[in-house]
Amino acid sequence: AIDKNGNQIHVRDAKKEEIYYCPICKNEFILRKSGKTGKGSKRPHFAHHEISTNCTPEGVLHYLSKINVIKILEDYKSENKPFIINWKCIYCEKKNTGNILAQVDSIKEEYYLDEYRPDIALLNKEQKVMAVIEIVVTHKPEEKVLKYYKDNNIILIQINMISEEDLYLLKDKLEKPDIVDLCMNYRCQNMNENIINRKIKIYNTNCGFCFNRIEKYKIEINSIFGKNESSDFSENEIKSIQSNRNNIKIEIDKITKEKYPRYICRNCQKIRNKYNIRKF
C-alpha cells in the first residue's frame, strides 16, 4: 500500500491507526492484520473498502515493480554511477555483462512505440529507444511485440516477479535479469552486428621474460551497455592480425578453449635459440 505521504508500506510494517491506499486506483485500503500466527491464522493483507475490478494483487505487484525499477535507475543515473547487469544468453549460455545506463539519456514509463507500450523504455540522447524493460508477473510479452523489438534493434530486458517478497530483492533481480535478448558472443545466433561493434585493440606492453617491448591484443566490444574487452578472437580477426604483423602465434585457452593471437618476443627467441631454452 501507500500511506498519506505517498510512501510504499509493506503489510507487515503497517499500523492499525494509519490510513493506507491502493497504489493503482488510490482508493482507501482496509488493513487486515490480527497479529495472530500459527495454524488457522490468516495472512496479513490489505483489502479495498470498495471492490475495484481494475485492481488485483498481480496488478499491484507489477505496478510497484515498475516504478521501483525506474527509481533505482534514476537514482544511479542522477549520481552518474554505472548500473552493471549480468546475464546468461538464452541461446548459447555465454555469460555477459554491461552497464545498463551507459548510453541512457532518459527513462520513460510506458513509452509509446507505435502500437506498443513497454513497461520501461531506455532512450539515448537522440531520444531513440535502445532497450526496454518488461516486468512479467503473469503475462509474458506477445510474439508480435518481441518481433517488433527485434526488427527495430531494441534490446529486451525481462524481469520475472513471482510474489511481493520479490520487491525486497528488486535491485538484485535487476542486476541479474531473467532475459536479456543480446549476446556478445560472435558465434551466437543472437549476436546482432547492427547493435554490437567489435574492434581489434593493440596494446604496447613488456615481455614478461626479457622486458622487451611487445604487443598485446584484445577485442573491444562496444554496445549500448558500454565497452567490454574479450580475448575470444574469430578466425577473420586472427587472420587480420597475422596479415599485418609477423611473429604471431595462436594460443588456445586451456579452460575456455578460445583462440587468441600472441606476439612472440623476437629478443626472447634469440635467447632461446642461443641457450636452447625451451620454457620461460
Side-chain angles (χ1 to χ4, degrees), residues 1-104:
I2 54 176
D3 64 14
K4 61 183 179 181
N5 298 316
N7 300 312
Q8 295 176 35
I9 304 295
H10 193 281
V11 69
R12 66 187 175 201
D13 300 319
K15 299 176 182 178
K16 284 282 189 179
E17 62 272 17
E18 299 291 336
I19 299 175
Y20 301 102
Y21 304 91
C22 173
I24 298 179
C25 69
K26 304 300 187 291
N27 288 330
E28 189 174 332
F29 266 158
I30 303 170
L31 173 60
R32 291 179 174 163
K33 188 177 184 181
S34 66
K36 296 178 181 180
T37 58
K39 189 175 180 180
S41 60
K42 288 188 175 182
R43 186 182 179 190
H45 64 280
F46 293 107
H48 285 86
H49 250 300
E50 297 180 7
I51 295 175
S52 173
T53 56
N54 295 325
C55 293
T56 63
E58 294 79 15
V60 172
L61 177 58
H62 181 272
Y63 173 77
L64 292 178
S65 301
K66 179 176 59 176
I67 63 173
N68 280 308
V69 164
I70 293 173
K71 185 179 186 307
I72 290 169
L73 294 179
E74 289 284 13
D75 286 347
Y76 270 75
K77 186 175 178 299
S78 66
E79 296 176 17
N80 200 27
K81 291 165 55 178
F83 192 94
I84 306 300
I85 63 170
N86 298 275
W87 73 96
K88 184 186 288 186
C89 176
I90 58 176
Y91 298 95
C92 70
E93 297 192 339
K94 181 180 175 63
K95 293 180 179 179
N96 297 272
T97 186
N99 172 19
I100 196 175
L101 296 174
Q103 296 183 26
V104 171

Side-chain angles (χ1 to χ4, degrees), residues 15-248:
K15 299 176 182 178
K16 284 282 189 179
E17 62 272 17
E18 299 291 336
I19 299 175
Y20 301 102
Y21 304 91
C22 173
I24 298 179
C25 69
K26 304 300 187 291
N27 288 330
E28 189 174 332
F29 266 158
I30 303 170
L31 173 60
R32 291 179 174 163
K33 188 177 184 181
S34 66
K36 296 178 181 180
T37 58
K39 189 175 180 180
S41 60
K42 288 188 175 182
R43 186 182 179 190
H45 64 280
F46 293 107
H48 285 86
H49 250 300
E50 297 180 7
I51 295 175
S52 173
T53 56
N54 295 325
C55 293
T56 63
E58 294 79 15
V60 172
L61 177 58
H62 181 272
Y63 173 77
L64 292 178
S65 301
K66 179 176 59 176
I67 63 173
N68 280 308
V69 164
I70 293 173
K71 185 179 186 307
I72 290 169
L73 294 179
E74 289 284 13
D75 286 347
Y76 270 75
K77 186 175 178 299
S78 66
E79 296 176 17
N80 200 27
K81 291 165 55 178
F83 192 94
I84 306 300
I85 63 170
N86 298 275
W87 73 96
K88 184 186 288 186
C89 176
I90 58 176
Y91 298 95
C92 70
E93 297 192 339
K94 181 180 175 63
K95 293 180 179 179
N96 297 272
T97 186
N99 172 19
I100 196 175
L101 296 174
Q103 296 183 26
V104 171
D105 180 72
S106 57
I107 302 165
K108 304 289 186 182
E109 178 186 354
E110 297 197 5
Y111 185 81
Y112 279 95
L113 281 173
D114 294 333
E115 59 189 283
Y116 306 112
R117 292 175 64 187
D119 291 326
I120 302 166
L122 305 179
L123 287 71
N124 62 15
K125 290 182 179 180
E126 289 73 38
Q127 295 304 294
K128 178 183 177 183
V129 177
M130 304 177 297
V132 295
I133 301 174
E134 295 284 11
I135 309 295
V136 174
V137 177
T138 53
H139 302 294
K140 296 180 180 179
E142 297 179 7
E143 286 299 322
K144 63 180 182 179
V145 177
L146 299 178
K147 185 178 184 304
Y148 177 87
Y149 294 155
K150 279 277 192 187
D151 292 346
N152 289 276
N153 294 323
I154 298 171
I155 298 171
L156 167 69
I157 302 167
Q158 181 174 311
I159 301 172
N160 299 335
M161 301 293 288
I162 298 173
S163 73
E164 68 271 15
E165 297 303 319
D166 283 344
L167 289 170
Y168 286 92
L169 306 171
L170 193 55
K171 182 173 177 291
D172 294 334
K173 293 181 74 67
L174 181 56
E175 289 173 343
K176 297 179 181 178
D178 294 277
I179 295 175
V180 177
D181 196 15
L182 177 72
C183 186
M184 310 291 187
N185 181 8
Y186 69 87
R187 301 184 187 90
C188 181
Q189 68 183 67
N190 204 38
M191 209 289 278
N192 190 335
E193 293 181 357
N194 295 319
I195 298 176
I196 295 176
N197 176 262
R198 291 171 61 92
K199 184 168 63 176
I200 298 171
K201 295 287 287 185
I202 302 171
Y203 300 92
N204 290 318
T205 184
N206 294 324
C207 172
F209 181 73
C210 69
F211 303 105
N212 191 42
R213 296 290 284 175
I214 61 170
E215 289 182 343
K216 185 179 179 181
Y217 311 100
K218 289 279 187 180
I219 294 296
E220 181 183 271
I221 303 172
N222 196 2
S223 73
I224 70 162
F225 296 145
K227 293 181 180 179
N228 293 280
E229 285 191 346
S230 171
S231 295
D232 187 16
F233 287 74
S234 69
E235 295 291 342
N236 288 336
E237 289 163 346
I238 289 174
K239 287 178 181 178
S240 175
I241 293 174
Q242 287 177 318
S243 65
N244 291 303
R245 284 164 175 77
N246 298 318
N247 227 34
I248 300 296

